Amino acid sequence: MTQTSTHRQKIQRRPVHGVLLLDKPLGLSSNQALQKAKWLLRADKAGHTGTLDPLATGVLPLCFGAATKFSQIQLDADKTYEAVLLLGQKTTTADAEGEVIETRPVPAITAELLADLTRRFTGPQAQIPPMYSALKKDGKALYEYARKGEDVEREARHITIYKLDMVLAHDERAPAAIKITVTCSKGTYIRTLGEDIGEAIGCGAHLGSLRRLETGGYVASQCVDLPALEAMSEQQREACLLPVQSLVASYPVVTLDADNAGRFLSGLRRRGSPGQWGPDAALVQVYGSNPAAFLGSAHVTADELIPGRLLSPIEIQDMLALRPPVISNPAASAATV
């Protein structure tokens, strides 16, 4: 047994709560990156908020402890990517990691062509997921079929490209390349978008690089990379964590007095006077006032505050011990009652 493996076995896990914005490095899977960060923080519970391919870099929110309860919000969030499309070749995986399966000549890439492609691929789209993906078919991931050379039928998924920018780029790996910046809905495969653009041009294409710039309000400039994290002390690593409530920061705020907070944490609905919790809302962030603490999420329907994902008393105590709560989006806060 190596010294490193022995050290890993002896590590003392502990409760850690918050969100680490990691700049995922090239070559690591999302889970590999998560496990490295989890080990560095000695965290006992962690999860990521949507897979980035090993080829991809960029914003990967990692949720620790209580934050894992709200990770679905990030899974459902819109995202922005920057990618380089290498024109003239298709590969087995639709990116630079695959084997070339087709080569075609590349026509002249004009400004008019790029403008037409931008219009064509902006807005609602029907996209067929790639075979090299983790989507399940009859209980097996699609990539398991792909590795055996099998191509199975996939249903088209409805996605939306909210914004698309295209410019000519230079890349020595291809006779021509296009850099695209895409803001899109959840479930969008940029590899598939790149292949579809290549087919629309008539020459085929695959991704040469992919970087996630933003997801659900988290941006690349907020991220820390693994080498920097490794060089930090444990206290400095903890300081990199954003509070759990940053996952719901864009939603309205409701603040409860001690009595209502206790009942809310027990899972009981709270009936309010007209407008007391604000207008009907699919999601609100809920805080207690004494002590001041983030309690969880809820939704508001017909002046009822209905609990959603709740923190446990132990989680609240842990978070209060680490730092005072920061109420997100205070301008949207309902009155304390």
Side-chain angles (χ1 to χ4, degrees):
M1 184 177 291
T2 66
Q3 184 177 359
T4 300
S5 61
T6 302
H7 179 61
R8 284 178 181 269
Q9 284 185 343
K10 290 181 178 179
I11 190 170
Q12 183 75 33
R13 299 288 182 183
R14 64 201 175 104
V16 175
H17 304 285
V19 181
L20 179 70
L21 299 184
L22 184 70
D23 191 334
K24 191 192 85 63
L26 185 69
L28 285 188
S29 70
S30 294
N31 188 58
Q32 287 171 326
L34 170 68
Q35 295 307 320
K36 283 181 177 287
K38 183 181 178 182
W39 181 76
L40 287 168
L41 283 161
R42 297 194 296 117
D44 60 6
K45 185 178 182 182
H48 59 68
T49 57
T51 302
L52 276 177
D53 293 338
L55 174 77
T57 65
V59 186
L60 181 65
L62 303 179
C63 295
F64 295 91
T68 60
K69 295 181 176 181
F70 306 93
S71 60
Q72 185 64 44
I73 294 168
Q74 271 298 312
L75 287 169
D76 294 339
D78 297 336
K79 297 166 177 64
T80 299
Y81 297 90
E82 183 179 88
V84 172
L85 309 185
L86 304 180
L87 305 182
Q89 290 183 329
K90 292 183 65 175
T91 71
T92 52
T93 57
D95 61 30
E97 294 188 321
E99 297 179 3
V100 175
I101 55 175
E102 188 177 353
T103 300
R104 284 182 268 172
V106 179
I109 307 299
T110 65
E112 291 76 18
L113 175 60
L114 292 179
D116 180 65
L117 290 168
T118 299
R119 287 190 293 269
R120 178 172 173 178
F121 286 97
T122 301
Q125 308 280 320
Q127 190 181 75
I128 298 176
M131 280 299 301
Y132 278 89
S133 66
L135 289 178
K136 296 290 181 69
K137 173 78 172 181
D138 298 330
K140 290 172 58 177
L142 289 178
Y143 65 75
E144 295 183 61
Y145 294 102
R147 287 171 180 170
K148 295 178 180 178
E150 301 176 25
D151 193 333
V152 299
E153 186 176 351
R154 291 98 71 198
E155 291 187 9
R157 304 173 76 179
H158 296 285
I159 55 107
T160 302
I161 306 296
Y162 299 109
K163 186 178 181 182
L164 175 61
D165 293 320
M166 293 189 187
V167 295
L168 273 174
H170 173 75
D171 194 298
E172 60 185 15
R173 295 172 292 177
I178 298 172
K179 184 172 79 172
I180 64 173
T181 306
V182 188
T183 299
C184 54
S185 64
K186 71 169 183 176
T188 302
Y189 284 93
I190 306 301
R191 282 181 292 147
T192 299
L193 175 64
E195 274 201 321
D196 290 345
I197 290 172
E199 289 305 309
I201 295 172
C203 61
H206 65 276
L207 288 194
S209 64
L210 177 63
R211 181 166 178 78
R212 185 190 281 167
L213 303 178
E214 185 268 343
T215 174
Y218 296 132
V219 297
S221 61
Q222 296 174 279
C223 293
V224 61
D225 60 29
L226 280 175
L229 204 64
E230 289 169 347
M232 293 177 183
S233 67
E234 191 167 87
Q235 188 175 15
Q236 289 172 324
R237 291 169 191 155
E238 289 176 359
C240 291
L241 292 171
L242 297 177
V244 172
Q245 59 265 35
S246 68
L247 289 162
V248 293
S250 63
Y251 295 94
V253 172
V254 172
T255 305
L256 303 175
D257 62 20
D259 182 59
N260 275 305
R263 294 173 183 274
F264 175 80
L265 280 176
S266 298
L268 298 177
R269 300 182 178 204
R270 310 312 303 136
R271 168 67 66 180
S273 57
Q276 185 172 348
W277 314 127
D280 286 1
L283 193 148
V284 296
Q285 46 181 323
V286 182
Y287 292 80
S289 56
N290 186 25
F294 176 59
L295 306 180
S297 65
H299 65 275
V300 177
T301 302
D303 295 313
E304 260 196 323
L305 183 69
I306 303 169
R309 303 293 288 176
L310 303 178
L311 273 65
S312 71
I314 292 176
E315 289 170 338
I316 293 171
Q317 289 173 13
D318 288 343
M319 291 164 60
L320 286 174
L322 287 173
R323 67 180 76 183
V326 177
I327 294 179
S328 303
N329 194 17
S333 177
T336 302
V337 295

